[in-house]
Amino acid sequence: MPYIAVVGSGPSGVYTAASLLEQDRLPGVRVDVLDRLPCPYGLVRYGVAPDHEKIKSLQNNLRRVLEDERVRFLGGVEVGPRGVSPARLRELYQGVVYCVGAAADRRLGVPGEDLVGSWSATEFVSWYSAHPDSLAQDFVRDVDTAVVVGVGNVAVDVSRILSRGTAELRATDMPEAALSALGGGHVREVQMVGRRGPSGARFTTKELRELGALPDTEILVDPAELALDPDFRDPSGLPAARRRNVEVLREWSTRPPGDSPRRIRLRFFLRPAEVLGAEGRVSGVRFERTAPADGGGVVGTGRYEDVPAQLLLRSVGYRGLALEGLPFDPATGTVPHEAGRVLRDGRAAPGEYVAGWIKRGPTGVIGTNKPCAKETVRSLVADADLLLARGELPDPLGQLRAEGLDPVDWAGWQAIERAEAELGASLGRGPVKIGDWPTLWSTARSAPS
């Protein structure tokens, strides 16, 4: 029987596994889904906002694939110098598909970016999502005003989470420390800032409208900033999604001021020029006013505005990271490929494939990973004769264990799930995530083998 390894158990990896199971040219295929973490689901577990229950319910669909008898979840397996190398995986499996995402954040590249209180949005999301790599920080201590740079869905997510109260967050699986900090109500204002105009914002209308539905929170939009955008004045030529965004923002800009305890300001045509500091901490952000330019870009105007703030969250995009042993294009942050086939020195490397963000860059939504995975699997299946010519291979799991690796299996993950349910029950909540490595490891290892 052929053995295929899928590196990464997020949506891209699981969709790849599901597609492999459907292929007639791979009779008897067995798929091992490897992940560095002892927990599956990747972005759905650690990237989707905890108050987005419908999207998080995608875990149920991913679970069905990982519970298939032809699939094995092998958690706690790192691919790279500290674990199993790509070269060794290629020896153990007829084919290897890398679905490792884009884990690095883009930076602003301005003075003061490394002051205390300046974080990437991903670091903030990892904290409230209980990622075990997260730094144990109280991001919102002594924060009255937060600035979020970026106008995509992640920027909307973190702005919304900063503005929610304890009662709403308590119903989520957010860890208790983050719940206590965020639910304290210290953050009174969030300013979400984009360097382009409203017609160029990347958030979806559904996410945008969620901001307007937050209790005890006022949404403020400056009509003068909106009017700087020519497409805002006449949105008829915009794609439907962007036109709907413009319509929502126009309606919000006409609302009279209220007296809500919290505010979210949506700002446009401002780009960061410097992060201001006092005593080593963020005290504000200096923005340069921009203006529309030909081709949809912007130009600086030489006029500046200082926004006082104690927290800066940067949400300006992601980049893939090089994986030792695989080729990498630093310009695109992706692995060079042709229809998912990894290219080494410009030529397809038999048995090595990529899918997801490491293949195409950080674009699309979760569902975009399905056709991406299917394309890669079509390439793998087209190579089936070459891959299967290696003949029968021994079970890779036995080989990995013989080399000192001790993967967390599905029973180990189920032990973590039970422990999270018990933790939540002890707090009078639903399941609450465990977010530290020692507890995750000890809990997974407590499962009967």
Side-chain angles (χ1 to χ4, degrees), residues 181-246:
L182 290 166
H186 305 296
V187 181
R188 295 191 304 110
E189 181 165 313
V190 177
Q191 295 206 26
M192 188 169 69
V193 186
R195 62 189 177 94
R196 290 189 174 91
S199 67
R202 299 295 183 90
F203 42 64
T204 61
T205 308
K206 179 180 180 295
E207 291 257 4
L208 179 63
R209 284 177 173 148
E210 286 181 345
L211 293 180
L214 290 172
D216 302 318
T217 303
E218 183 178 6
I219 308 297
L220 301 174
V221 187
D222 185 349
E225 287 185 348
L226 301 181
L228 296 172
D229 188 340
D231 287 319
F232 184 84
R233 295 193 294 269
D234 179 16
S236 59
L238 292 173
R242 290 162 63 188
R243 188 170 64 249
R244 288 192 294 269
N245 286 343
V246 165

Side-chain angles (χ1 to χ4, degrees), residues 94-135:
Q94 271 94 350
V96 185
V97 187
Y98 294 91
C99 307
V100 292
D105 296 279
R106 295 185 182 274
R107 292 176 60 83
L108 299 177
V110 300
E113 188 170 6
D114 293 319
L115 285 167
V116 176
S118 172
W119 303 90
S120 72
T122 299
E123 290 171 313
F124 183 61
V125 171
S126 293
W127 173 64
Y128 68 62
S129 296
H131 194 292
D133 285 344
S134 173
L135 300 173

